[in-house]
Amino acid sequence: MTALGCRTAWRPPLPSVQSGADPKALDRSINPCDDFYEFACGGWAARTSIPPDRPAWSRSFSEITERNLAILRESLEADAAGHFEPEDQEARKLGDFYATCMDEEKAETSSAETLREEFGSIEAITNGESLARTLAALHLRGVTALFAFRAQQDLRDATEMIGVADQGGLGLPERDYYLKPDAKSVELRRRYGEHVARMLELAGEPKQVAAQHARTVMRIETALARGSMPVVERRDPYKVYHRIDREGLGREAPVFSWEVYFVELGYPGISAINVAVPDSLRS
C-alpha cells in the first residue's frame, strides 16, 4: 500500500485515542438549561490552560491536531529506525527524509555549505541567460524568486493544463506590507530589514555589508510589491486570467531570457501561458 494508506508491514503501537465523548469535560454543577456551554465544556476548561506558544486552544481541532501529530511522529520515527518490510520503499523514503531533517549536527554543518553554494550561483549571475538559469533552478526548488511559475488548469477550459506566470518574490506576506504608510507598517518594514540583515550576517557577511545588502533587498521587494495585485482584487478570477502564447509572454517581459528559462525548467516546448498579473512581470 502507499505510504499514507494502510500497510501490512509491522507498525508500532499508536497513542491511545480517546472517545470524543469525555464525561470529564462536563461540569455537572451547571444546569444545562441555564448555560449549556459551561455544562458541556466547563470541566475541560477548568483543567486546561492555553499552551504558552499558542494564541488559542480548543478541545476539538487543537487536541485532535496534537494527537494526529503524535501518531505521525511515531510512524516516521519507526520508519527512520527501519521498522518496515524490506519491499516497502515508501516507508524507506519517508524514514530517510525524516531522519535527514532531524539530524541537527548535519544541519549545522552541511546546511551552511549548501547555502554558500546557492549564494555562489546567485553571485555568478552576469547576464540575462545566467539569471534565467538561476531562477529556473530556484523555482524548481520551490523558491519563488522575482516571480512564480507553475502549472494550472486553464480557467476557461478545465480539460487543458497550461503554464501560469504569477507575481512573487516577496518576503513579507503581501504587497500592502511594503506600501502602507501608517506607523505600524513603517515599523514592521524596519524590523524586517533588520531581520534580513541579521540573516545575511549569519550567512557570513560583515555587518555593514549585510546592512547594505538588506537595503537592496528591500528596494527590490518594494518594486515587486508595486507591481503586485492587491489581495482583494486577486479574488476575482477574471483579473488573474490573461492567457497569451509564448510570443506574447516575450512581449510582456522582453528583457527576460524566456527560452533559456523554459529549457532549464524542463518545458522547452510550452506555448500556452496565463500571465496572472501582467504588471508584476513588467516591474
Side-chain angles (χ1 to χ4, degrees):
M1 300 296 287
T2 65
L4 298 180
C6 298
R7 301 182 190 160
T8 57
W10 176 89
R11 307 302 300 160
L14 298 177
S16 61
V17 179
Q18 298 179 350
S19 169
D22 180 10
K24 295 180 180 179
L26 302 176
D27 184 348
R28 298 183 184 277
S29 67
I30 302 296
N31 186 336
C33 296
D34 294 334
D35 191 333
F36 188 79
Y37 176 82
E38 284 297 324
F39 170 76
C41 304
W44 176 85
R47 69 173 188 267
T48 304
S49 299
I50 298 176
D53 62 334
R54 304 298 176 90
W57 193 255
S58 68
R59 182 170 174 261
S60 55
F61 291 109
S62 298
E63 292 192 350
I64 291 172
T65 298
E66 287 298 302
R67 186 165 63 244
N68 288 344
L69 289 174
I71 293 171
L72 289 172
R73 178 176 178 175
E74 289 203 9
S75 177
L76 289 169
E77 287 181 344
D79 290 338
H83 295 158
F84 52 83
E85 297 294 340
E87 66 273 11
D88 193 345
Q89 295 302 311
E90 298 298 330
R92 183 181 303 278
K93 292 176 184 178
L94 286 169
D96 290 346
F97 187 72
Y98 180 77
T100 300
C101 290
M102 299 303 291
D103 189 339
E104 295 184 19
E105 182 178 353
K106 187 175 181 180
E108 293 294 335
T109 54
S110 61
S111 295
E113 181 60 32
T114 301
L115 277 176
R116 281 191 287 270
E117 292 176 2
E118 292 289 347
F119 290 149
S121 66
I122 294 172
E123 291 172 356
I125 295 174
T126 57
N127 52 40
E129 288 191 7
S130 56
L131 172 64
R133 290 193 185 94
T134 302
L135 282 179
L138 290 171
H139 290 176
L140 287 171
R141 293 180 175 86
V143 181
T144 56
L146 297 186
F147 66 94
F149 194 90
R150 61 185 183 276
Q152 88 172 166
Q153 283 181 303
D154 189 333
L155 298 181
R156 294 184 182 274
D157 182 1
T159 65
E160 186 177 7
M161 292 294 293
I162 64 175
V164 55
D166 204 349
Q167 63 191 37
L170 304 183
L172 293 173
E174 50 97 5
R175 71 186 297 274
D176 284 352
Y177 283 79
Y178 295 87
L179 306 178
K180 291 175 67 174
D182 60 281
K184 183 178 180 180
S185 298
V186 172
E187 174 65 10
L188 187 147
R189 288 193 291 271
R190 183 187 68 79
R191 293 193 177 190
Y192 176 59
E194 291 177 349
H195 165 73
V196 173
R198 180 57 178 156
M199 293 300 101
L200 293 173
E201 282 186 62
L202 292 174
E205 290 191 350
K207 186 172 184 178
Q208 290 185 342
V209 175
Q212 179 183 353
H213 286 170
R215 289 191 291 269
T216 300
V217 168
M218 284 299 297
R219 286 197 298 271
I220 293 174
E221 292 189 14
T222 301
L224 293 172
R226 290 195 179 98
S228 299
M229 183 180 291
V231 290
V232 175
E233 291 186 32
R234 284 184 65 87
R235 297 172 187 170
D236 185 344
Y238 293 99
K239 291 186 176 181
V240 291
Y241 182 82
H242 310 89
R243 175 169 171 165
I244 58 178
D245 55 20
R246 182 78 158 265
E247 291 72 20
L249 180 62
R251 289 191 296 271
E252 289 288 343
V255 298
F256 187 67
S257 300
W258 291 107
E259 298 298 326
V260 174
Y261 174 78
F262 287 127
V263 168
E264 295 295 319
L265 209 62
Y267 298 98
I270 190 171
S271 58
I273 298 164
N274 171 30
V275 179
V277 185
D279 286 345
S280 67
L281 292 187
R282 300 187 190 108
S283 64

